[in-house]
């Protein structure tokens, strides 16, 4: 794999070419009012976190936490590149997010849950109540025989029971693995198998877009899938959306399925001492897509991870304990783990948790919630911003809320959408941090420090404090800033939030993130191990980065990472399908959406029925988010003479771009046939360069 990537040629994009669709933007300054109250106002911060001061500068991050036993070594590199942070320390994440706040903030809300149905009241959960509920659940989990190091999979919606279960696991050192609630039962099952979980925690139902979804049905599929793959699940713990009542139609399986609320009766008022765990014990797994069809479980540590998300929540999101903070992401993704649960709670924040769809029942919903709850920090993804802008461009004006700070995450944001966010949502007062990072990195990599560095629409900013990015070309040479050339963005140094490994696959960890630019696999010096993020980027002369998108075969759909190989394998589960190729297509709202090309087996007639079943297969194997925008049945795939499918050609067709020279293909004629099928007889080629991630799509094999 790593070898193949080496062969790949990076397109050299000149600044002029990029400017065709994205020109240099002017700076926006934070207001004096924001600066006066910001947690991080010390302009020397970047100097304090310079590479010369690495790794000791990160002691300040560890100081955000309460330790049972102090650590001895800041960074242990003896098993490079498997970094160990704050070694020798003993700590507990649940204690740091709950217990230590009781004295001062016991009566303050830790979470405010907002149900999707507007007639249902908000539910505020104080730190004191959170403490009680986390303890009772921890006692229950311990009662089931679960202990430190065991894995438990969750398939939970956006309800307070999700962070409660996370924190109960963390209290005991159980490694939690939350699978995004919108993923299918099958997707959950394969993740159960990979993590080796024997317990699945789920909920009977939840509200989504006005409907009460039967979610328990997915648990049955997940358990069956895991079993087929060789992993038995002994117990399914089912939370009830309405405690005491079963809101799903799918029957409970006797002896396997239990209502958590029934089991909890035995544990009322029980307390569980938070276990003093080693710093480098694993806290959770978060599965994410990569180049191959098999999702990888990013394993995150207790101390390094928690220190990193605590410090960045304080300095970048600017969370103070008296703020009302709302991140509209889903806890099922890394953003929710780091910046709804662990980071905010480590700072004694009040974190708002919204169950449903941002535009339900209308595009004014988020602003009504913000007004009612007095939200002053808001965090969301470009897809939601585009959607809210399209459906209700003037809605924010109707509501009397005031944000001091706003964040965007998950995808590049176009300057136009950025400006709407700034002008309309932020009412020209809130600062914006465009935070670039990924599942693997635990927390922010690229962002401005909001009171210190100005904002620039479309650029995330420079590296976060202590993060030292570098852009390498294919030969490993540094691409200088201001050159206008794109390359592979890497981080020169380790940082506390970096994942520890891919669960159960050390080799894949080294190959995926380090092999390409490491020159000495035996080196114990961190300087020899730049971390390859998997994104293409350019750095402007001012040092700000513009992230162009994934360089692997991952499609970022509405901020969610989907592996094209996973989608293609889902298509191949339909027996009539002989070959499948998936390509990313630009989409006004979702950023990118997948389009599918299939060739059917000899003797099979192309039909709408096959197309429908391909769509259904994607929903079943992955989830509704993987639903292709179009499925085209083609007479043959465009192929090289050696038989490789030219996904790049298909991507050009789907994105209405010139396919380039195809005369060297084995079957050049088919290209025009496919083009007519997709675009019609008239040539509808658009002008302007393709975005980097699409232009380079399909080069990694
Ligand atoms: C993309 C989400 C541009 C990027 C936290 C990355 C971004 C992938 C930004 C990770 C941003 C994330 N600007 N692109 N501010 N933030 N990305 O693992 O391509 O779900 O590699 O983590 O999202 O997605 P993931």
């Amino acid at each position: 794999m790593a070898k193949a990537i080496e062969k790949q040629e990076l397109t050299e994009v000149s600044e002029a070419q990029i400017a065709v669709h994205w020109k240099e933007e002017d700076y926006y300054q934070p207001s004096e009012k924001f600066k006066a109250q910001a947690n991080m106002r010390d302009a020397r911060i970047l100097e304090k976190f310079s590479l010369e001061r690495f790794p000791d500068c990160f002691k300040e991050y560890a100081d955000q936490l309460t330790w049972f036993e102090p650590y001895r070594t800041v960074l242990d590199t003896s098993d490079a590149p498997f970094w160990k942070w704050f070694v020798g320390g003993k700590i507990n994440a649940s204690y740091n997010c709950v217990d230590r706040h009781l004295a001062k903030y016991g009566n303050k809300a830790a979470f405010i849950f907002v149900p999707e149905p507007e007639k249902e009241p908000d539910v505020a959960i104080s730190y004191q109540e959170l403490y009680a509920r986390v303890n009772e659940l921890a006692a229950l989990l311990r009662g089931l025989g679960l202990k430190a190091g065991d894995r438990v999979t969750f398939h939970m919606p956006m309800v307070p029971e999700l962070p409660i279960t996370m924190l109960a696991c963390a209290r005991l050192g159980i490694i939690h693995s939350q699978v995004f609630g919108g993923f299918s039962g099958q997707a959950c099952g394969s993740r159960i198998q990979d993590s080796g979980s024997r317990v699945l925690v789920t909920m009977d139902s939840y509200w989504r877009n006005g409907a009460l979804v039967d979610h328990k049905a997915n648990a049955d599929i997940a358990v069956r899938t895991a079993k087929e793959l060789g992993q038995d699940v002994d117990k399914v713990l089912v939370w009830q959306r309405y405690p005491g009542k079963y809101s799903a139609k799918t029957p409970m399986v006797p002896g396997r399925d239990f209502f958590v609320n029934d089991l909890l009766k035995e544990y009322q008022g029980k307390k569980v001492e938070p276990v003093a765990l080693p710093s480098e014990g694993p806290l959770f797994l978060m599965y994410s897509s990569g180049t191959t069809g098999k999702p990888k479980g990013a394993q995150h540590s207790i101390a390094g991870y928690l220190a990193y998300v605590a410090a960045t929540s304080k300095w970048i999101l600017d969370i103070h304990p008296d703020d009302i903070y709302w991140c509209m992401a889903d806890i099922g993704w890394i953003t929710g783990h780091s910046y709804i649960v662990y980071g905010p709670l480590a700072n004694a924040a009040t974190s708002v948790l919204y169950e449903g769809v941002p535009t339900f029942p209308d595009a004014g919903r988020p602003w009504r919630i913000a007004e009612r709850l007095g939200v002053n920090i808001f965090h969301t993804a470009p897809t939601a911003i585009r959607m809210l802008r399209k459906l209700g461009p003037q809605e924010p004006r109707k509501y009397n809320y005031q944000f001091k700070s706003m964040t965007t995450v998950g995808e590049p944001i176009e300057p136009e959408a950025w400006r709407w966010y700034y002008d309309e949502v932020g009412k020209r007062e809130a600062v914006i941090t465009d935070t670039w990072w990924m599942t693997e990195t635990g927390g922010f990599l690229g962002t401005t420090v909001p009171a210190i560095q100005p904002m620039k629409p479309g650029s995330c900013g420079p590296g976060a404090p202590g993060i030292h990015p570098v852009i390498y070309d294919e030969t490993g040479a540094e691409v200088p800033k201001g050159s206008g050339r794109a390359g592979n963005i890497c981080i020169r140094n380790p940082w506390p939030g970096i994942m520890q490994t891919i669960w159960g696959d050390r080799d894949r960890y080294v190959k995926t993130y380090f092999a390409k630019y490491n020159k000495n696999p035996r080196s114990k010096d961190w300087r020899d191990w730049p971390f390859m993020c998997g994104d293409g980027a350019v750095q402007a002369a001012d040092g700000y980065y513009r992230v162009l998108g994934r360089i692997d075969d991952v499609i970022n759909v509405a901020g969610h990472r989907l592996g094209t190989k996973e989608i293609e394998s889902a298509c191949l589960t339909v027996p009539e399908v002989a070959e499948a190729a998936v390509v990313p297509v630009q989409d006004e709202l979702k950023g990118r959406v997948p389009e599918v090309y299939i060739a059917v087996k000899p003797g099979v007639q192309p039909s709408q029925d096959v197309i429908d079943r391909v769509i259904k297969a994607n929903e079943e194997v992955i989830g509704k988010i993987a639903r292709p925008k179009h499925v085209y049945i083609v007479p043959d795939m465009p192929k090289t003479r050696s038989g490789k499918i030219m996904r790049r050609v298909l991507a050009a067709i789907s994105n209405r771009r010139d396919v380039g020279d195809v005369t060297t293909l084995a079957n050049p004629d088919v290209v025009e046939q496919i083009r007519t099928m997709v675009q019609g007889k008239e040539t509808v080629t658009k002008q302007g360069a393709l975005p980097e991630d699409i232009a380079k799509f399909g080069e990694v094999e």
Side-chain angles (χ1 to χ4, degrees), residues 288 333-335 382 408-413 434-440 446 460 533-535 547-550 556 559-561:
S288 185
W333 305 103
I334 191 70
T335 302
T408 151
V409 60
E411 306 155 69
I413 180 163
D434 177 347
T435 58
W436 163 72
W437 58 296
M438 54 220 49
T439 303
E440 293 87 337
C460 62
C533 300
D535 277 324
V547 174
L548 305 170
R550 302 288 311 176
N556 191 335
H560 308 318
R561 264 164 83 170

Side-chain angles (χ1 to χ4, degrees), residues 1-7 80-83 472-476 488 490-491 502 506-522 528-534:
M1 185 58 254
K3 284 259 156 46
I5 301 180
E6 275 159 33
K7 277 192 246 139
F82 301 87
W83 315 120
Y472 288 125
D473 70 11
E474 287 307 306
T475 67
N488 294 327
C490 299
I491 311 298
I502 293 175
R506 282 173 60 101
D507 286 352
R508 190 174 175 196
Y509 178 65
V510 179
K511 274 193 197 133
T512 309
Y513 304 106
F514 300 97
K516 189 175 166 86
Y517 293 117
N518 166 262
K519 294 189 188 77
N520 174 9
R522 271 192 291 277
D528 290 326
W529 295 95
F531 176 86
M532 189 173 88
C533 300

